[in-house]
């Protein structure tokens, strides 16, 4: 817990290196499963899926499954297939998200929908989603299937909820936290929880890992929201201000709107409804966000969720896995600096 | 088998009435599950899903599950949830198909993508797909999960394959049959097969029902292909000539192209690539299809698959269920007249 964090020392910034080293051998197995199981006699499927899967993703979610299994000293290999299933669900979601948002850039590369068109992205997403369930079925655990089918439904619900809230600047913080709990944190939680299932541990272990993943997921998303307004395009791998131009009401905007003058609120209403989205407007938005403390407080909220994630690891014995999982949280937060 | 067909007599045209009557009570239970399980606190989900689910669909696939269970004298109720899962998979597929095809009309009503937009249709499709797996998990049969996750992957593969073949007038008959086996017949087959699983019958019973469903599905799709060129808009519930205008290379076109003169082939090449799609072109296309016997022979192919479906019922005892399943095949074919 906090001891783990203090070990980091002031001279080193938090990184994913410890978790990457911890799971490197397992992740090779997962990558093999991913590459094998995205194949199809229909050539467009591996071509399109490979573009995204090989395209610089951090494999954050499968790494969490692997690291949590290591935390529990799980000696088997069932989690390789299941971590691949988690990555397939994530990839399917990204493919559909990019169509829904009309995105043109992800991780610094052109999106699949731009290269191959929306129809192909939708259908290959459906394929990967189905394939993820085939992988779970091969594993055979109904409990894992329950966790991941539930997570998938919750993700889709969260995405529709966000679509409904789009351009609605009056969305409140609780509603927004509900949206990101669903669309982002549910899969982080499930990725961690299934490690407890394959390791055949009790419900309270499942719950602790679920809490770790869920809080990390929320922190992760809030930091993404903050750096969409505050980072350079290179660091994000997508355009700065994308959320602003898409009228995505994220926590920074919710806080700035709540704290703003009548004039500020009118600005946000016009901006989120798509009326003011040029570079000057974005600069004004960023100014309002900084002045109102909305960016700093979004990061502060993320820190709180991050701390809850680390605290959820409390019951587990100290060691490399616990340190690596805690540092992954610190890393997620540190992206805002 | 053929005796069942002969009983129909010349004075009565085949109908779905027998299968509808056979499963009416069960179908009420299925509809209750469908209505309950398409609910969500995110109001857009039941609104959009309900538009399509309540919108005049015949519930063909769940009816097949129910009728096959009846054929096997299955006394339980597990198939209600599973039939709902099958309908959810089908509905998710329709939502995504309408986005992929840019369709504006289905079953004579405006499509969800026209009313609520593509993003909502994509995401609600994802939700229903996830929900279908939740229903299967509640049932708990890994075998059913295997059958339906496999079918879902095959459907998506078939859809991508069709996308690749779109506007490719040189697509051959075998390739096309592979596409419709995947995108249409796989779910018919799975809907029938799972009845054998819940009734705990042997692999050969599973296979017989799978064969019935698969052949019926192919026949069903081929008749759809034929009446897209030959029927009135009212009978189809979508615009006549939609396939033609979308550059969808279906069996009628494949046969007419193969049999056509150089001039005819040039016409098909231009038409399928989108160069000749006005009403006069459609009239010319229909003329070529009739002259070359392509429509009649597509229907003849469908009849052959229909006969194979009926023959697959051979091992089962005579009775209301068997007659109803056989007549459903006859009905599917009769839509072309």
């Amino acid at each position: 817990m906090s001891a783990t964090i203090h070990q980091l020392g002031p001279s080193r910034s938090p990184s994913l290196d410890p978790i990457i080293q911890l799971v490197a051998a397992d992740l090779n197995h997962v990558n093999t499963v991913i590459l094998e199981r995205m194949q199809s006699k229909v050539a467009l499927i591996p071509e399109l899926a490979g573009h995204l899967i090989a395209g610089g993703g951090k494999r954050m979610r499968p790494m969490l499954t692997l690291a949590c299994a290591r935390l529990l000293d799980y000696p088997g290999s069932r989690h390789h297939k299941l971590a691949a299933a988690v990555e397939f669900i994530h990839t399917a979601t990204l493919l559909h998200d990019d169509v829904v948002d009309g995105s043109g850039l992800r991780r610094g590369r052109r999106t699949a929908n731009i290269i191959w068109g929306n129809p192909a992205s939708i259908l290959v997403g459906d394929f990967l989603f189905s394939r993820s369930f085939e992988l779970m079925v091969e594993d055979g655990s109904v409990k894992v299937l329950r966790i991941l089918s539930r997570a998938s439904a919750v993700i889709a619900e969260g995405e529709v909820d966000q679509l409904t809230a789009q351009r609605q600047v009056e969305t409140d913080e609780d509603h927004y936290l509900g949206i990101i709990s669903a669309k982002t944190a549910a899969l982080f939680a499930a990725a961690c929880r299934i490690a407890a299932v394959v390791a055949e541990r009790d419900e309270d272990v499942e719950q602790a890992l679920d809490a770790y993943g869920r809080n990390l997921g929320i922190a992760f998303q809030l930091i993404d929201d903050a750096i969409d307004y505050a980072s350079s395009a290179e660091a994000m791998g997508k355009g700065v201000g994308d959320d602003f131009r898409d009228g995505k009401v994220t926590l920074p905007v919710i806080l700035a709107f709540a704290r703003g003058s009548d004039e500020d609120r009118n600005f946000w209403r016009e901006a989120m409804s798509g009326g003011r989205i040029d570079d000057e407007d974005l600069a004004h938005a960023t100014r309002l966000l900084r002045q109102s403390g909305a960016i700093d407080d979004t990061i502060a909220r993320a820190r709180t969720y991050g701390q809850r994630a680390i605290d959820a690891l409390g019951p587990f014995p100290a060691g490399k896995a616990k340190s690596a999982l805690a540092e992954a949280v610190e890393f997620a937060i540190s992206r805002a600096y």
Side-chain angles (χ1 to χ4, degrees), chain A:
Chain A
M1 293 176 34
S2 56
T4 312
I5 300 309
H6 291 150
Q7 286 166 13
L8 295 176
S11 63
R12 187 161 81 78
S13 42
S15 103
L16 287 179
D17 289 347
I19 198 170
I20 290 169
Q21 283 167 30
L22 181 78
V23 304
D26 286 321
L27 196 57
N28 277 336
H29 289 291
V30 175
N31 282 330
T32 302
V33 176
I34 287 173
L35 287 173
E36 275 173 18
R37 305 309 292 274
M38 72 185 205
Q39 295 309 314
S40 162
K41 63 183 192 313
V42 181
L44 179 55
I45 290 176
E47 195 183 342
L48 191 155
H51 173 77
L52 185 52
I53 287 173
K58 291 185 294 297
R59 304 268 193 277
M60 194 67 201
R61 293 154 193 81
M63 280 206 299
L64 289 173
T65 304
L66 300 175
C68 288
R70 184 61 64 98
L71 181 70
L72 304 177
D73 287 327
Y74 169 65
S77 61
R78 280 175 58 195
H79 57 332
H80 297 154
K81 236 176 215 177
L82 296 176
V86 167
E87 186 69 0
F88 278 171
I89 291 174
H90 176 57
T91 307
T93 307
L94 294 185
L95 285 172
H96 288 184
D97 278 358
D98 284 341
V99 173
V100 164
D101 294 342
S103 310
L105 208 61
R106 177 178 290 279
R107 300 170 187 158
R109 305 174 74 199
R110 292 167 74 211
T111 51
N113 49 308
I114 295 295
I115 301 174
W116 290 280
N118 287 344
S121 283
I122 296 169
L123 297 174
V124 174
D126 289 349
F127 173 80
L128 291 175
F129 196 58
S130 304
R131 188 46 59 92
S132 82
F133 278 93
E134 285 193 274
L135 283 165
M136 292 177 237
V137 166
E138 286 173 27
D139 174 70
S141 161
V142 173
K143 203 165 187 183
V144 168
L145 278 155
R146 181 177 301 121
I147 291 165
L148 284 172
S149 62
R150 179 79 200 118
S152 300
V154 167
I155 292 167
E157 249 177 334
E159 302 266 10
V160 179
D161 200 4
Q162 180 163 55
L163 197 66
T164 311
Q166 198 169 22
R167 307 198 175 285
Q168 304 295 318
V169 79
E170 278 87 3
T171 308
D172 66 29
E173 181 167 351
D174 279 347
H175 185 184
Y176 182 67
L177 288 171
I179 289 172
I180 66 175
S181 288
K183 77 164 187 137
T184 307
L187 192 57
F188 276 78
C192 295
R193 182 184 271 260
I194 60 175
V197 178
V198 294
E200 299 178 11
R201 299 292 287 268
D202 290 345
E203 176 69 20
D204 55 345
V205 173
E206 275 187 42
Q207 274 178 16
L209 293 183
D210 187 291
Y212 166 81
R214 188 171 307 276
N215 285 294
L216 169 58
I218 295 173
F220 194 89
Q221 183 63 56
L222 291 178
I223 296 294
D224 266 4
D225 293 348
I227 58 187
D228 194 79
Y229 286 97
S231 175
S232 63
E234 302 82 61
M236 275 299 273
K238 64 173 189 171
V240 168
D242 276 355
D243 290 348
F244 181 73
R245 278 180 287 266
D246 291 346
K248 278 202 179 160
V249 178
T250 57
L251 188 57
V253 174
I254 291 167
L255 294 179
F257 180 79
R259 296 167 181 186
S261 65
D262 284 353
E263 193 191 335
D264 296 342
R265 292 188 177 202
N266 279 335
F267 169 80
W268 286 116
R269 276 196 199 91
E270 284 179 44
M272 290 295 107
S273 64
R276 303 188 62 164
I277 54 166
D278 64 23
D279 286 353
E280 207 173 297
D281 297 320
L282 176 58
H284 183 60
T286 307
R287 220 159 28 238
L288 291 182
L289 290 168
R290 293 215 168 278
Q291 282 167 7
S292 64
I295 297 281
D296 284 345
D297 286 355
T298 295
I299 297 169
R301 304 279 207 277
R303 278 212 155 277
T304 304
Y305 285 101
Q307 192 58 52
R308 285 169 64 176
I310 290 168
D311 285 337
L313 297 175
F316 300 102
K320 274 191 187 169
K322 185 167 170 173
S323 300
L325 285 163
E327 190 168 340
V329 177
E330 287 292 301
F331 169 78
I333 307 290
S334 73
R335 294 176 307 142
Y337 298 104

